[in-house]
Amino acid sequence: MTTLLQQQGYEEERLRRVAEQLPCREVQAGMLLSLMGQPQHYSYPSIFIYGHRASGKSHVMNVLLKELELPHATVSCVECVSVALLFEQVLLSLFGCGAASLLPRSPSLSDFVRVYRQQSSQDPAKQTRYIVMEKAELLRDTDANLLPALLRLQELVEDNVTVILLSEIVWDKFRPNTGCFEPLLLHFPDYSKGDLQEILSQDTHPSYSAEFYSSYINILLGVFYSVCRDLRELRHLAALNFSKFCEPLAEAKVKETDTHKLWRNIEPHLKKAMQTVYLREVSSLQWEQMQQMEEKETGAVRGLSAHTHVELPYYSKFLLIAAYLASYNPARTDKRFFLKHHGKIKKTNFLKKNEKTSNHLLGPKPFPLDRLLAIFYSVVDSRVVPTASIFSQISSLVTLQLLSQVSHDDQLDAPKYKCAVSLDFISAISRTVNFEIVKYLYDFL
Amino acid sequence: MSKRKGKEGHLPIGECITQVQQILRERFCHQQHTGKLEGVESQQKHLLELLKRTAVHGESNSVLIVGPRGAGKTTLLQCVLRDLLQEKDAQKNLLQVHLNGLLQTDDRIALKEITRQLHLENVVGDKVFGSFAENLAFLLEALKKGDRSSSRPVLFVLDEFDLFAHHKNQTLLYNLLDVSQSAQTPVAVVGVTCRLDVLELLEKRVKSRFSHRQIHLLSGSTFARYLERVRSQLSLPGHFQDAQFAEEWNASVRSLCEDRAAEEVFRRHFNSSTDLRSLHALLMSCLSRVSVSKPVIKPADLLDASRTCLADAKANMLHGLSILELCLIIAMKHLNDVYEGEPFNLQMVHNEFKKFLQRKSNSMYKFEQPVVMKAFEHLQQLELIRPADGSSAKTQREYQLMRLMLDHSQIMEALQKYPQCPTDVKQWAMSAFG
C-alpha cells in the first residue's frame, strides 16, 4: 500500500515489510534511509534524531536495522553507567564476543578505538556499521570527551561507521564549549490526532468490530488529547478502560452503533481515570479490580496520595502546626495572631497585602527555632515543659522530612527550619486536634 | 556485463546513480579530499618545507596549526604528509605518531600509545622507569639503535592540542618540546587545534620551548569563491566511467549554481558560516534526495534541505506539546513579562493559569493540580524550563524556582504554527498583561 520507501541496494520485499511496520512514519523512515544510503556506501559520521517521547525514534531505527539486516549495535545510555559497559556492548554486537574480551579491565577511549581498529582491519566493513545510542542526553553527564569522540568516530577508527543519537532534547543543549563535529539533525515530529487515532485503532479487540474500537479510541482521545500526547500512555489507558466501555454491550443495554449512549457511559469514567490511573495514584491492577467490583464506586479505593496522612504524637502535631504557621506567616504579624493582649495594630496597615508577597505562592520561609517554640507555646493550650522529648520530636520531624533544616552551619545554636508540608496535609492534621489553622494564616485573612 | 562494456562505458542509470552516490558520499562524509587544496597554498608550502627539513635534514621543529572547526586543518596536514611521503628519503626514514586529545586523556595513556605506534612494546617490556622523561628518552634512544642510520626522525601529530594542555603539569608537552629543543633525535611536533588562545594555556616553561611557529587557517573567502567551491565539491571527476552521464551531471550542477533561488540559499548559508563542514552537511542532505527516478539535484531539493538544516529545533519541540503544556508556557511568559525575568515556581504558574480560566470561565481546561504538575515536570524533562539554582533538592516540588529557556518570539511563532490552537488561548498569549 505504501511505496514511499525506496532505496537502491535493498530488496524490495524487505522495504515493503519495513513500511508496513511503520505506520505514520513513512516520511521519516524514507528520509533516514536515504541518508543511510546503500549499505556499502559511506554514511554521514553522526546523525542526531530528536523528537518527543514515544514519537517512534527507537522503533523506526530498530525496524530499519533489523529488517534490512544491517550490522548495528543498539545501546541505551541509561544502562551504561560506565563507559566500559558501553564499549563492551558496542564491540560485542559489532564483532562478536571475542572482541569484547580484548578490552582491558578499565578501558579508556583510546583502548576502545585501538581494539575497534584492530577488529575492523581483520574484517573490513562491507556494509555501514551503525551504533545507535538511545537517551543520548545522558552522554553529557559522562566523561566530557566521550560525546565529541563518538561524533567523529568514523574519522577516529577509519571505518565505515555511523553513530546515531536519539534524544528528547534539542541539539543546542548538547554542544560542548570547544565545539565538535556537527551531526546531521533529523526531527521526528509528533503524531497528529489523526495519526494517533490511526495507530491506536490498529490493535483491535477480537470480539468487536474495528469501527467500534475506533469509535472508542475517538472518545478516549477526546478526553485525554488535551493533556497527553504520549502514544504509549494513551495505549495503556485504552487497554485499561476498554472493558468498561464494552460493559453496556455485554448487558445488552445498547447496540454497537449507539455511540452517544456509549459516550455518556464512559466519559465520567475516563475523567476519573485522568485523576487516578494517569497519575499512577492507583495502579493499573487496582484500577482493573475496581472495574470488576461494580457495587463499589470507582475512586473509593484510596490512592497513593491519600496515604500520605501519617499518625503523629500530640505534641508533634502542634509542633508541625507551629512550624507551618512560622513558615507561611510573616514575623511582623506574630504579635497580632498569637499574643493575647497585643496593643493597637492599625487594621489598614495589617491587611495591606498583595499577591506578589503571598507565601502560599512563594513557598515556605525559613524560621529560627526560638520562633517555632514561641508559636508552639501559644497554640498549645496547656503548659508544656520544654523537655528533651520536645526537642527530639523536632529533630525526628526533620528526619521524617516534614521539616527541613535550612542552614547546616550549626546544629545546636539557633538552627533554622522550613516547613515542607502542603496546606491540605496540615489542615488534616489540625482537624484531628481541633485547631482552626486557616484563622491563623495571614494569606487567608 | 560484456554487453555493457561493448557500449563504451554507457552504464544503466541505476549504476550511474550508485557511482555518483559512492564518490560524493566519500567526499562529504569521509572527508576524502580531492587532490588540490584551495586558498591555502602558502600555508601548505610552509608546512611541507618545515616537515621536509625534519624528515630529510634531521632538524627538530614544532608548529601549531590553528583554525576554526571545519576549516581544513586535518586535510591540510594529510595533504602535506602525502606529498612528503612521495620523497624517497622521507618515506624510508620518517616515523609517525598520531595522538588525539580526545582519546589520550592522560599522559600515561599517551605514552603507551606512543610506544605502540613506534612498535617498541617488546623493547620496553617490563622495564621500570623513574620518570616520564626517562621513559620517553628511552623510547627515542631505542629508535636510534634500531636502525643503521643513527637516528630516525619522528613526527608527532597532536590532534586537539588544547586538550593536551589540560593534562597534569603538561608533562607530555614539556617532554616532547624539550626533546625538540635539546636532544639529538630529530622530532617534529605538529599541534592541531581550534583554539586561538592556545598559547595562553601553556605553562611558561612549555611555552618557552615552543618555537612559536603558527599556521593560521582563517577563511577569508568571498561568496564567489564559496559558490565555486560548491560547484567543485558537487562535480564528478574526469575518470568517471560513464563520460556522458558525468557531463550531464556536471552541467546540471553548473545550472544549479547559477539558479537564482539556489544562490539565495547558498548565500544564507555562507552568511551563517563559511566552513566546509557545514556545507558538506547541506550538500549531503541534497544528495540523499537523488535517486533513479530523479537523477539531478533541483533547486527545490536544495531549498528543502536548507529548510531542514536551518529549522529551529525548539520551535519543532513546542509544536508537539499538549495544549495544557502550551498554556503553562504562556503563563510563564506572562510571569516573565510582569516580573522581568524573575524565576517562578509551579504555584505561580498555576495561579496565573487559573486567573486565565476564571476570566474565560471556560471549564474545558480545568485540571487538577497533580495533572498540572505532571505537565510541568514534562516541560522540565524537555529542558524547556530549568531550575534556577542547583541546590533545590530540599524544597517541595511546587515551590522549586524555575527559569524559562525560551524566547518571547519563539513562543509566539510556535503558537502561530500550533495545530488547532484554541482562539482564546491565542488571545491570552497576545494580551500584554496576563
Side-chain angles (χ1 to χ4, degrees):
Chain A
M1 55 177 185
T2 48
T3 48
L4 267 160
L5 278 184
Q6 277 180 345
Q7 181 69 30
Q8 274 184 287
Y10 301 101
E11 290 167 37
E12 291 217 351
E13 171 61 28
R14 284 170 188 239
L15 287 180
R16 203 181 52 72
R17 234 180 309 152
V18 168
E20 269 171 19
Q21 286 182 48
L22 303 175
C24 308
R25 286 284 95 142
E26 293 94 355
V27 181
Q28 283 74 32
M31 228 147 89
L32 196 57
L33 197 61
S34 64
L35 275 180
M36 284 153 67
Q38 299 176 27
Q40 73 279 12
H41 285 171
Y42 272 98
S43 174
Y44 208 72
S46 48
I47 301 174
F48 181 84
I49 301 177
Y50 65 99
H52 277 278
R53 196 190 304 161
S55 55
K57 302 181 290 293
S58 312
H59 180 61
V60 168
M61 238 25 259
N62 279 339
V63 168
L64 274 180
L65 294 174
K66 286 250 167 63
E67 283 290 333
L68 303 176
E69 289 186 350
L70 301 166
H72 67 279
T74 307
V75 179
S76 164
C77 297
V78 183
E79 287 172 25
C80 296
V81 286
S82 74
V83 285
L85 285 172
L86 172 75
F87 298 153
E88 201 180 304
Q89 206 165 346
V90 169
L91 289 175
L92 196 71
S93 10
L94 290 183
F95 301 105
C97 49
S101 61
L102 285 176
L103 281 174
R105 200 175 172 72
S106 56
S108 64
L109 254 173
S110 178
D111 294 317
F112 170 67
V113 168
R114 180 169 53 78
V115 174
Y116 191 105
R117 272 183 179 217
Q118 195 184 328
Q119 291 292 322
S120 72
S121 67
Q122 277 169 17
D123 92 280
K126 288 184 228 59
Q127 300 185 322
T128 313
R129 296 189 171 111
Y130 294 96
I131 301 176
V132 183
M133 314 283 287
E134 285 169 2
K135 293 253 177 207
E137 58 265 25
L138 292 166
L139 284 177
R140 295 175 300 173
D141 307 330
T142 57
D143 190 8
N145 284 336
L146 186 63
L147 185 63
L150 279 176
L151 288 173
R152 53 168 64 223
L153 195 66
Q154 190 176 92
E155 188 185 324
L156 291 173
V157 298
E158 290 170 354
D159 183 39
N160 189 358
V161 61
T162 293
V163 178
I164 298 174
L165 305 170
L166 309 179
S167 177
E168 271 185 68
I169 294 171
V170 295
W171 169 248
D172 301 339
K173 311 237 169 187
F174 279 73
R175 204 172 280 123
N177 21 352
T178 46
C180 61
F181 192 108
E182 294 285 311
L184 274 185
L185 305 183
L186 198 59
H187 178 234
F188 271 45
D190 50 301
Y191 293 115
S192 68
K193 201 168 178 177
D195 292 342
L196 284 173
Q197 169 94 39
E198 189 187 328
I199 296 169
L200 286 171
S201 301
Q202 277 186 356
D203 34 29
T204 51
H205 198 274
S207 48
Y208 296 97
S209 70
E211 292 85 59
F212 177 67
Y213 194 78
S214 168
S215 70
Y216 164 62
I217 292 299
N218 199 5
I219 292 168
L220 184 90
L221 283 180
V223 174
F224 279 101
Y225 187 67
S226 58
V227 175
C228 171
R229 300 198 166 180
D230 189 335
L231 177 62
R232 270 177 302 176
E233 189 107 44
L234 287 170
R235 178 175 272 164
H236 177 65
L237 287 166
L240 273 183
N241 293 310
F242 188 58
S243 60
K244 179 79 182 175
F245 185 66
C246 298
E247 237 167 48
L249 280 179
E251 292 162 12
K253 276 185 196 158
V254 289
K255 282 183 297 205
E256 267 196 25
T257 46
D258 201 351
T259 335
H260 185 69
K261 271 196 183 147
L262 285 170
W263 176 76
R264 281 252 305 272
N265 176 47
I266 194 72
E267 215 239 353
H269 186 70
L270 289 178
K271 282 239 165 94
K272 197 157 278 166
M274 191 194 303
Q275 288 153 27
T276 50
V277 80
Y278 172 67
L279 299 167
R280 309 287 185 273
E281 282 267 307
V282 171
S283 73
S284 326
L285 184 67
Q286 276 176 310
W287 183 251
E288 277 174 344
Q289 280 168 354
M290 272 156 57
Q291 281 175 351
Q292 274 154 20
M293 304 186 279
E294 275 177 45
E295 71 276 16
K296 208 168 179 186
E297 182 61 24
T298 44
V301 173
R302 285 194 306 167
L304 266 184
S305 66
H307 290 290
T308 50
H309 171 71
V310 285
E311 279 303 322
L312 290 173
Y314 185 72
Y315 284 141
S316 280
K317 282 178 184 171
F318 272 107
L319 279 171
L320 200 58
I321 289 168
Y324 192 87
L325 292 173
S327 250
Y328 285 89
N329 279 350
R332 66 185 168 84
T333 61
D334 280 356
K335 215 168 158 189
R336 153 77 172 72
F337 280 127
F338 304 113
L339 225 57
K340 285 253 166 56
H341 308 287
H342 54 81
K344 229 182 185 178
I345 290 176
K346 274 187 196 149
K347 216 154 196 181
T348 49
N349 201 16
F350 179 73
L351 286 174
K352 205 190 280 168
K353 293 185 284 197
N354 55 0
E355 191 195 35
K356 205 177 156 186
T357 52
S358 159
N359 276 340
H360 281 90
L361 277 188
L362 295 172
K365 295 266 176 300
F367 54 85
L369 179 63
D370 299 344
R371 192 170 158 224
L372 171 69
L373 288 176
I375 295 176
F376 173 66
Y377 290 131
S378 118
V379 293
V380 175
D381 287 334
S382 54
R383 261 184 72 89
V384 187
V385 191
T387 53
S389 99
I390 295 291
F391 288 99
S392 74
Q393 280 184 37
I394 293 174
S395 59
S396 71
L397 283 176
V398 173
T399 35
L400 286 171
Q401 298 192 351
L402 298 172
L403 295 185
S404 63
Q405 194 165 3
V406 180
S407 54
H408 275 290
D409 44 4
D410 204 334
Q411 291 287 335
L412 290 176
D413 187 31
K416 284 195 163 183
Y417 298 99
K418 241 185 198 181
C419 187
V421 297
S422 65
L423 180 63
D424 293 338
F425 185 93
I426 203 75
S427 10
I429 290 221
S430 46
R431 229 174 291 129
T432 60
V433 290
N434 290 325
F435 181 80
E436 265 190 79
I437 189 142
V438 183
K439 263 170 57 184
Y440 288 87
L441 279 170
Y442 180 63
D443 283 340
F444 297 106
L445 220 58
Chain B
M1 277 310 253
S2 62
K3 212 173 178 185
R4 264 183 228 148
K5 264 182 199 161
K7 272 204 228 167
E8 274 218 14
H10 274 302
L11 302 171
I13 183 96
E15 201 101 340
C16 283
I17 294 291
T18 308
Q19 293 276 336
V20 168
Q21 291 272 0
Q22 175 154 11
I23 291 173
L24 294 186
R25 269 168 189 270
E26 248 165 55
R27 201 179 280 168
F28 299 151
C29 307
H30 201 49
Q31 316 292 336
Q32 202 78 313
H33 42 84
T34 48
K36 227 170 109 270
L37 287 175
E38 291 149 30
V40 289
E41 286 83 4
S42 65
Q43 284 99 326
Q44 192 181 2
K45 202 166 150 232
H46 183 191
L47 189 60
L48 181 62
E49 198 65 21
L50 200 75
L51 294 185
K52 212 183 269 177
R53 283 212 296 271
T54 305
V56 181
H57 304 301
E59 187 182 304
S60 286
N61 275 314
S62 50
V63 67
L64 266 179
I65 305 176
V66 185
R69 296 242 170 224
K73 304 178 289 290
T74 314
T75 314
L76 171 72
L77 190 63
Q78 275 172 1
C79 280
V80 166
L81 283 178
R82 197 186 50 199
D83 290 349
L84 184 71
L85 290 179
Q86 273 162 8
E87 284 197 32
K88 268 252 168 73
D89 288 356
Q91 201 180 357
K92 209 172 60 192
N93 269 338
L94 187 69
L95 288 168
Q96 292 184 31
V97 177
H98 289 267
L99 299 178
N100 194 319
L102 290 173
L103 303 182
Q104 282 77 41
T105 42
D106 65 37
D107 286 343
R108 198 180 46 78
I109 299 172
L111 197 61
K112 234 184 181 169
E113 189 67 20
I114 293 171
T115 318
R116 213 175 56 75
Q117 292 196 15
L118 293 175
H119 304 291
L120 293 171
E121 296 105 321
N122 51 349
V123 182
V124 174
D126 297 334
K127 275 198 188 67
V128 179
F129 295 99
S131 71
F132 187 89
E134 202 178 306
N135 196 347
L136 191 70
F138 176 80
L139 290 180
L140 298 173
E141 189 70 25
L143 285 181
K144 270 188 212 170
K145 283 182 199 154
D147 208 50
R148 254 173 302 148
S149 55
S150 65
S151 54
R152 294 178 72 178
V154 187
L155 169 67
F156 286 94
V157 177
L158 304 181
D159 210 341
E160 308 278 347
F161 185 80
D162 49 311
L163 294 181
F164 284 102
H166 294 307
H167 291 189
K168 191 167 172 271
N169 292 342
Q170 304 184 349
T171 323
L172 179 78
L173 289 185
Y174 174 76
N175 281 297
L176 281 181
L177 293 171
D178 197 42
V179 168
S180 83
Q181 287 288 323
S182 58
Q184 292 304 308
T185 322
V187 162
V189 181
V190 179
V192 180
T193 179
C194 62
R195 282 189 68 162
L196 289 175
D197 63 339
V198 66
L199 284 185
E200 311 300 313
L201 298 176
L202 297 180
E203 277 177 24
K204 206 170 159 195
R205 55 182 187 138
V206 180
K207 204 166 159 186
S208 73
R209 280 164 175 79
F210 173 62
S211 68
H212 286 268
R213 213 178 266 122
Q214 290 195 32
I215 294 177
H216 285 278
L217 284 180
L218 301 173
S219 62
S221 91
T222 57
F223 183 60
R225 267 175 53 198
Y226 187 79
L227 261 188
E228 183 57 34
R229 203 177 217 184
V230 171
R231 210 174 57 72
S232 73
Q233 287 289 332
L234 272 178
S235 302
L236 289 175
H239 57 74
F240 192 74
Q241 277 179 0
D242 187 338
Q244 200 194 332
F245 181 85
E247 210 163 277
E248 277 168 21
W249 173 270
N250 287 349
S252 80
V253 168
R254 214 169 304 133
S255 71
L256 174 74
C257 289
E258 280 156 11
D259 186 89
R260 182 62 63 81
E263 198 180 307
E264 192 96 331
V265 172
F266 284 128
R267 188 175 286 282
R268 204 175 321 134
H269 277 263
F270 174 76
N271 287 344
S272 69
S273 87
T274 57
D275 67 5
L276 204 54
R277 199 68 75 54
S278 62
L279 177 63
H280 276 165
L282 174 69
L283 295 182
M284 178 69 202
S285 42
C286 288
L287 178 68
S288 71
R289 287 168 168 82
V290 172
S291 64
V292 178
S293 51
K294 202 161 62 64
V296 286
I297 298 180
K298 296 248 176 63
D301 291 332
L302 184 70
L303 223 63
D304 204 23
S306 139
R307 204 173 298 126
T308 50
C309 272
L310 297 177
D312 184 6
K314 271 189 187 155
N316 280 340
M317 292 308 279
L318 282 178
H319 185 273
L321 293 179
S322 70
I323 194 79
L324 171 61
E325 285 153 355
L326 195 73
C327 285
L328 290 186
I329 284 194
I330 294 170
M332 289 172 204
K333 187 202 118 201
H334 283 317
L335 282 176
N336 257 351
D337 287 347
V338 174
Y339 299 122
E340 286 160 3
E342 289 289 308
F344 50 80
N345 60 28
L346 173 62
Q347 286 291 351
M348 297 184 202
V349 174
H350 196 185
N351 192 41
E352 196 74 21
F353 184 44
K354 275 194 275 194
K355 273 197 276 177
F356 161 65
L357 291 183
Q358 271 169 15
R359 224 162 355 124
K360 288 286 145 204
S361 69
N362 186 346
S363 64
M364 205 180 120
Y365 314 120
K366 216 162 217 163
F367 300 111
E368 305 278 305
Q369 167 101 355
V371 178
V372 174
M373 168 96 81
K374 191 163 171 166
F376 196 74
E377 279 171 354
H378 185 223
L379 290 178
Q380 195 182 346
Q381 264 169 17
L382 293 173
E383 299 193 12
L384 295 175
I385 50 176
R386 161 172 292 185
D389 47 347
S391 62
S392 45
K394 264 199 239 156
T395 49
Q396 294 143 282
R397 282 184 300 173
E398 57 262 46
Y399 292 120
Q400 210 170 34
L401 288 178
M402 295 284 185
R403 274 182 201 285
L404 186 61
M405 308 306 279
L406 288 168
D407 219 298
H408 189 280
S409 59
Q410 272 174 327
I411 299 171
M412 292 325 262
E413 203 185 308
L415 215 66
Q416 294 302 328
K417 284 190 197 150
Y418 195 79
Q420 292 151 26
C421 183
T423 320
D424 48 353
V425 172
K426 216 175 239 176
Q427 275 173 352
W428 178 40
M430 299 290 187
S431 64
F433 289 102

